[in-house]
Amino acid sequence: MIERYKNNPILTKNDVPYPVATVHNAAVVKYNNKYIMIFRSHKLNGRSILGKAESEDGFNFKVDNEPFMIPATEGIFKEYEEYGVEDPRIIFLEGEYFITYSAYSRHGVRVGLAKTKDFKSIERFSLITEADYRNVVIFPEKFNGLYARLDRPHSEISPWSVWISYSPDLKFWGESKLIIKPMQYHWDEMKIGPGAPPIKTSRGWLNIYHGVFPTMDGCVYRLGVALHDLEDPSRIIAVGDDWILQPEEDYEITGYVHNVVFSCGAVPETDGTVKIYWGGADKVMCVGTAILEELVDHCLNNPRKAL
Ligand code: BMA
């Protein structure tokens, strides 16, 4: 369903002009007729920073000389980003680009929200979850006057499920509700989490998410799709039963963490295709092309239960 780009991986540590061990889990958006990629890299001390790359065609990227975002050096963000910033997602809202990211510190992992107008300067906006949250994607539209996000808290009783929360101002979030759970003895049985920000289609919001299965040889990260109601995104129309992508190529099977495909971004094109970006084995960046309506059919034709 996803056609891998023939020259994958499209970005590796060798393309980065400063010392890093990995290039992975990147957000990608179109900005001024270019593709902007904000990618995660492990520094050589094992902590993560975010870099930026640009492309004319969405396949060939050139990396900036300096990192785009490193842990904050002052204020409240300094305390909560001490161990690194990871796994960005970008959405365009009312003239600005908002970036959610995982902020790691001695207090755990939580999600930060930053914004930029030009991808040159970046302003931290707020820390929008407490600890034990990752993978926050914000919908690019409001619902009944409220912003909406998919998020992924961790709880012992209902492990690593996808929730939805709402906000009047992007800062204070509430009205939370669990909407998709991992399914037992299924490719996503151990944990699931939002991947790329939701994409609007005529039949619903397409949510590309990741699912994890534990094996005797470690965890396998795959991608799947779910469809949310256009007016009420807390209503799940369907969750596709089969995965849409699993680690198959060498660069997905072997790397910094083996057997991982992990997406933080996808770019819908005007011809009905979508470029899906994913990190391969937490080490390199990859891209593939799919037909959006086929992904929607995939949810509808053979769904599994959401909860
Ligand atoms: C998750 C996150 C991701 C990573 C994945 C596979 O828990 O840390 O950033 O890609 O594990 O290692």
Side-chain angles (χ1 to χ4, degrees), residues 92-108:
F92 183 67
L93 267 177
E94 296 154 6
E96 289 182 291
Y97 292 86
F98 285 84
I99 302 177
T100 61
Y101 58 96
S102 305
Y104 274 83
S105 74
R106 65 191 65 206
H107 309 308

Side-chain angles (χ1 to χ4, degrees), residues 29-141:
V29 280
K30 271 195 181 161
Y31 167 75
N32 277 352
N33 293 324
K34 284 193 177 147
Y35 295 77
I36 301 277
M37 175 187 281
I38 304 294
F39 60 86
R40 170 179 170 194
S41 285
H42 286 98
K43 294 193 299 174
L44 305 190
N45 65 4
R47 294 184 178 176
S48 292
I49 55 173
L50 304 182
K52 188 183 113 203
E54 279 187 26
S55 166
E56 300 285 337
D57 61 3
F59 297 107
N60 298 285
F61 283 86
K62 180 157 181 347
V63 179
D64 285 4
N65 283 332
E66 304 290 334
F68 179 66
M69 190 173 167
I70 59 172
T73 51
E74 56 188 29
I76 182 90
F77 292 93
K78 177 181 178 187
E79 182 166 356
Y80 288 100
E81 295 177 6
E82 181 193 9
Y83 291 174
V85 288
E86 305 187 356
D87 296 6
R89 274 84 171 187
I90 307 173
I91 51 128
F92 183 67
L93 267 177
E94 296 154 6
E96 289 182 291
Y97 292 86
F98 285 84
I99 302 177
T100 61
Y101 58 96
S102 305
Y104 274 83
S105 74
R106 65 191 65 206
H107 309 308
V109 57
R110 60 190 305 199
V111 175
L113 181 63
K115 57 183 182 169
T116 180
K117 282 198 167 102
D118 54 10
F119 289 101
K120 290 193 179 92
S121 62
I122 184 152
E123 185 190 328
R124 265 123 173 133
F125 180 71
S126 187
L127 289 155
I128 57 172
T129 71
E130 65 267 56
D132 275 345
Y133 273 81
R134 290 175 43 88
N135 306 311
V136 170
V137 297
I138 299 175
F139 284 82
E141 284 180 17

Side-chain angles (χ1 to χ4, degrees), residues 25 40 87 134 191 221 257 260 262 282:
N25 297 5
R40 170 179 170 194
D87 296 6
R134 290 175 43 88
K191 45 180 171 172
Y221 276 72
V257 179
V260 177
F262 193 97
D282 282 4

Side-chain angles (χ1 to χ4, degrees), residues 234-296:
S234 74
R235 194 176 80 76
I236 303 300
I237 300 170
V239 183
D241 191 51
D242 296 344
W243 65 70
I244 58 161
L245 189 78
Q246 71 155 348
E248 278 176 17
E249 299 293 334
D250 291 349
Y251 51 80
E252 296 160 339
I253 291 169
T254 310
Y256 193 80
V257 179
H258 296 181
N259 289 314
V260 177
V261 294
F262 193 97
S263 181
C264 294
V267 176
E269 304 286 4
T270 47
D271 65 358
T273 63
V274 55
K275 289 188 179 68
I276 301 178
Y277 294 85
W278 64 89
D282 282 4
K283 194 172 178 193
V284 297
M285 269 313 294
C286 310
V287 62
T289 305
I291 295 166
L292 208 44
E293 292 302 323
E294 282 186 13
L295 297 176
V296 174

